[in-house]
Amino acid sequence: MATVESTKTFEREDPRQQYCLQNSTSLEKCQMDLIENTLKHPLAGMLGSLDVTQFCSNLIRLIDARQILDVGVYTGNSCLAWAVASRPEAKVLAMDVTDQYYAAVGKEIVEKSGYVSKIEFHFQEATKTLDGLIANDRKSSFDFAFIDADKINYRNYYEKCLQLIRSGGIIAIDNALWFNRVLQQEKDASTTAIHELNLHIKSDQRVYCTLLPIGDGLMLVFKK
Ligand SMILES: C[S@@+](CC[C@H](N)C(=O)[O-])C[C@H]1O[C@@H](n2cnc3c(N)ncnc32)[C@H](O)[C@@H]1O
């Protein structure tokens, strides 16, 4: 097993963060290989924070999630992590508007990892994939959802995932602090979308929530 290393600049530069990662469960070699390959990609900043990926893997283990939604594949870091963390018969439905990053960086590693049969990829607009699942009677049939795609659509992803998740299931929303921009007075469109979703979730009577300051902020939503 490879040791957990940091991926984001703010993780690499913070000794406290380093210590936490070094004393958390290690990732499998296929995950570390995928991370290393992704760090060479020009858009490596899109790679999920390691502490978030690691923590969500343990949530998946905790609730024994078997039907998992992954909104935003990029090179495959998050969907591979959910496939590793879940039991062999579990399925991860991974969606992205494009397969270009996955095809160029992650595909070969994921296909050799032994976990690829657990992942079903849908490369099109994520709202279309989620609407298709809702129309196909998959409401309340998923245990865990990870939202990490375009921020402007976060509210749409949240509402659709909430329909698809069962009572007692979890929705994890990444980048909930958006590099602390949610704290600033002036907000661009993505920051406003994230901030308004945080406020909406906080007052949403259908769920309990905790906004954690790990990675770039992780909003955890527990469906009542
Ligand atoms: C931050 S990256 C995902 C990172 C990944 N979850 C990880 O852990 O490394 C965001 C991804 O969302 C995808 N995306 C952007 N707009 C989208 C849309 N409308 N529908 C689906 N995916 C979209 C991008 O192509 C990109 O791959």
Side-chain angles (χ1 to χ4, degrees), residues 105-142:
V105 181
K107 190 168 190 262
E108 201 179 320
I109 293 167
V110 174
E111 287 185 349
K112 282 189 191 146
S113 71
Y115 295 102
V116 70
S117 61
K118 296 176 71 178
I119 309 172
E120 186 182 310
F121 290 98
H122 290 247
F123 290 112
Q124 59 177 0
E125 290 284 336
T127 47
K128 200 171 169 193
T129 301
L130 295 167
D131 282 339
L133 293 169
I134 291 166
N136 281 319
D137 246 12
R138 296 296 310 272
K139 281 187 186 174
S140 301
S141 70
F142 288 86

Side-chain angles (χ1 to χ4, degrees), residues 58-68 85-87 89-90 143 166:
N58 282 334
L59 284 178
I60 282 170
R61 294 183 178 106
L62 177 73
I63 65 167
D64 190 13
R66 296 170 196 208
Q67 296 293 328
I68 298 164
S86 56
R87 61 171 67 219
E89 64 269 33
D143 306 296
R166 66 167 165 86

Side-chain angles (χ1 to χ4, degrees), residues 8 34-35 38 43-49 52-53 70-82 95-102 122-129 146-154 157 174-175 178:
K8 302 262 188 199
L34 189 141
I35 289 166
T38 304
L43 298 176
M46 290 213 292
L47 178 67
S49 244
V52 166
T53 310
D70 186 63
V71 185
V73 170
Y74 181 40
T75 60
N77 165 64
S78 48
C79 62
L80 177 61
W82 317 149
M95 55 202 92
D96 202 294
V97 71
T98 173
D99 74 344
Q100 64 175 307
Y101 312 122
Y102 177 68
H122 290 247
F123 290 112
Q124 59 177 0
E125 290 284 336
T127 47
K128 200 171 169 193
T129 301
F146 185 68
I147 298 178
D148 187 21
D150 52 318
K151 311 310 166 197
I152 240 53
N153 265 314
Y154 259 31
Y157 298 144
D174 201 16
N175 306 107
W178 202 224

Side-chain angles (χ1 to χ4, degrees), residues 11 19 32-33 44 100 104 111 141 143 148-149 194-195 207 214:
E11 289 173 347
Y19 183 87
M32 294 308 298
D33 289 346
Q100 64 175 307
E111 287 185 349
S141 70
D143 306 296
D148 187 21
I194 292 170
H195 177 60
V207 302
I214 64 167

Side-chain angles (χ1 to χ4, degrees), residues 182-196:
V182 291
L183 305 171
Q184 290 166 2
Q185 207 65 37
E186 294 292 316
K187 295 179 181 66
D188 64 13
S190 292
T191 312
T192 301
I194 292 170
H195 177 60
E196 287 182 354

